Amino acid sequence: MVAPLLLVVALVTVLAPPQALAQTAPTVGPAVAGQPTSAEPIVGMAVDRATGGYWEVSADGGVFAFDAPFDGSTGNLVLDRPIVGMAATPDGGGYWLVASDGGVFAFGDAAFYGSMGGKPLDHPIVGMAEDPGTGGYWLVGADGGVFSFDAPFEGSVGDLVLNREVVGMAAGADGGGYWMVGADGGLYALGDVGFEGSVHVLALAGLTVALDPGHDGGNAGAPGVIDQPIDGGGFTEPCDTVGTSTADGYSEHAFNFDVATRAAALLEAEGATVVLTRTSDTGVGPCVDVRAAIGNDAHAAAAVSIHADGGPPSGRGFTVITPEPVVSSISDNTAIVGPSDQLGSDLVSAFGADTGEPPSDYYGQNGLIARNDLGGLNLSTVPKVLIECANMKNPTDAALTESPTWRQQAAQGISDGITAFVVAAERI
Ligand code: ZN
């Protein structure tokens, strides 16, 4: 009986540090009787300095008051754009709601001092803050541009290139300045407010990447499945193929899967969510149209099909295949051709640097070739390329593909190329 008691004491000691977290946890939980219900997501909140309570606001402008007076909402209006934030007057007698188009809605004793509604905006409004000094307010755009209404303009970062969009702002206690915070954790202190630190956000946080290891280990044994014709975007092609192998019998499907798995781990370490088109090397398929759909459905910021080539034994090197514009009755990839070209050139740079592999001397030019006859690219609605990492029929390249060390370098090159593209695409 003594031993369990000691165990309990030890556990309590170990668990003591996170006590603050445990105290806040019960405020988040399942619905309880009498709790207000919102069908729309909550997008912002403000404090009532008179009562110490607060309001929450939903995307449709519904306002939920907790130990604070309800002064009205836009929940019964049809809004052109969703509500993205709110701010309260210094005395707590009212509040404003702001929509992504810059429209401002004033309630209670909050005065309307103007808005950006109906005016052209390069970037959506993402938040607002009240000026405790004047009683006016500021609006902030995703690019860090600030719009002042009966409040002093203390500066903005609208003319800087930001790694990620601004997502919110808050005012200093006297209204002589304000902070803005970016999705990358960037914290911008303007006017008389101080910089007290900020969060480091992983480069790919919140972003999804699709990796498509070509072929599959069971394809050779399932011709009835993989030979089935599919619509590749205005023409028919086989569901999938078997792929190539080295003279030693090391298969392309195994190479592709190993490199994809390694690249996925590298991308996840940068914060990405990685979607793989297959999660084992023993299955059949999926068909190339399904592989494209997996990246599309994931709304991937970038998708890469990973292959190795079976070219002439005398040639070596890697090639990145980019999509040409193809419009068919089931697809239109024109919107992703430009971004895919950028992804392709980023991949060529990173893959060459990380592996030392030269661009192919027998296929494409400078490591690139554009094609219109690959369903996996024609059917993509997200930026996508296909890389032939090496030529498995060339003795030099074959030895590299059989080396785990080189496969890790190949994965690093793919991860770095994708990261360079995605980070640049998020800049604002
Ligand atoms: Zn292949």
Side-chain angles (χ1 to χ4, degrees):
M1 293 300 290
V2 172
L5 187 60
L6 283 174
L7 183 61
V8 170
V9 171
L11 274 175
V12 168
T13 304
V14 169
L15 290 172
Q19 201 169 18
L21 183 65
Q23 284 172 349
T24 61
T27 62
V28 180
V32 295
Q35 188 180 28
T37 298
S38 177
E40 295 281 329
I42 299 298
V43 296
M45 70 179 300
V47 63
D48 179 348
R49 293 200 173 84
T51 67
Y54 50 83
W55 299 275
E56 297 179 353
V57 62
S58 58
D60 64 348
V63 172
F64 304 92
F66 298 93
D67 192 29
F70 176 76
D71 293 321
S73 79
T74 64
N76 57 341
L77 301 178
V78 177
L79 301 175
D80 289 342
R81 290 287 185 273
I83 297 295
V84 294
M86 76 181 296
T89 59
D91 67 2
Y95 44 76
W96 302 271
L97 310 183
V98 63
S100 67
D101 64 355
V104 171
F105 305 89
F107 300 94
D109 70 2
F112 179 77
Y113 293 116
S115 79
M116 295 305 290
K119 296 170 185 162
L121 289 171
D122 289 339
H123 300 281
I125 297 296
V126 296
M128 72 180 299
E130 77 281 13
D131 179 354
T134 66
Y137 47 83
W138 298 278
L139 309 183
V140 63
D143 64 341
V146 171
F147 305 95
S148 303
F149 298 92
D150 198 36
F153 177 74
E154 302 290 353
S156 82
V157 295
D159 55 350
L160 301 181
V161 175
L162 308 180
N163 283 332
R164 292 278 192 105
E165 75 278 12
V166 166
V167 295
M169 77 181 300
D174 65 0
Y178 38 74
W179 297 272
M180 288 178 250
V181 65
D184 63 346
L187 194 287
Y188 311 99
L190 298 157
D192 68 2
V193 296
F195 176 79
E196 308 294 350
S198 68
V199 177
H200 171 69
V201 177
L202 294 172
L204 303 182
L207 300 168
T208 298
V209 171
L211 295 180
D212 172 32
H215 318 288
D216 204 339
N219 281 10
V225 177
I226 66 162
D227 292 346
Q228 291 278 328
I230 58 107
D231 188 335
F235 64 97
T236 59
E237 64 177 322
C239 157
D240 204 2
T241 51
V242 173
T244 189
S245 63
T246 68
D248 296 338
Y250 181 58
S251 65
E252 185 200 344
H253 63 78
F255 170 84
N256 298 340
F257 187 70
D258 185 68
V259 172
T261 304
R262 292 170 185 269
L266 293 169
L267 290 161
E268 284 167 353
E270 288 294 326
T273 298
V274 177
V275 175
L276 290 163
T277 57
R278 58 183 175 96
T279 54
S280 81
D281 193 41
T282 55
V284 177
C287 299
V288 292
D289 55 346
V290 174
R291 291 172 188 256
I294 288 170
N296 297 346
D297 293 346
H299 303 290
V304 175
S305 290
I306 299 169
H307 287 253
D309 200 15
S314 59
R316 67 170 296 222
F318 73 92
T319 308
V320 174
I321 305 173
T322 57
E324 287 187 320
V326 176
V327 178
S328 76
S329 61
I330 62 162
S331 64
D332 179 353
N333 74 351
T334 50
I336 59 108
V337 168
S340 299
D341 285 348
Q342 184 62 53
L343 172 60
S345 77
D346 288 339
L347 194 50
V348 166
S349 297
F351 193 83
D354 287 345
T355 62
E357 181 74 355
S360 174
D361 56 17
Y362 67 94
Y363 182 43
Q365 291 210 317
N366 301 318
L368 286 164
I369 191 167
R371 285 176 59 170
N372 62 7
D373 60 342
L374 295 171
L377 299 182
N378 295 348
L379 302 175
S380 185
T381 58
V382 299
K384 186 174 183 183
V385 299
L386 184 155
I387 182 166
E388 302 278 15
C389 294
N391 176 12
M392 296 185 99
K393 296 305 186 191
N394 173 277
T396 303
D397 275 9
L400 293 174
T401 63
E402 292 173 14
S403 157
T405 302
W406 192 83
R407 292 199 295 271
Q408 185 65 28
Q409 293 172 1
Q412 188 73 55
I414 291 167
S415 172
D416 287 347
I418 291 171
T419 299
F421 169 75
V422 170
V423 166
E426 289 295 313
R427 291 195 181 115
I428 184 169

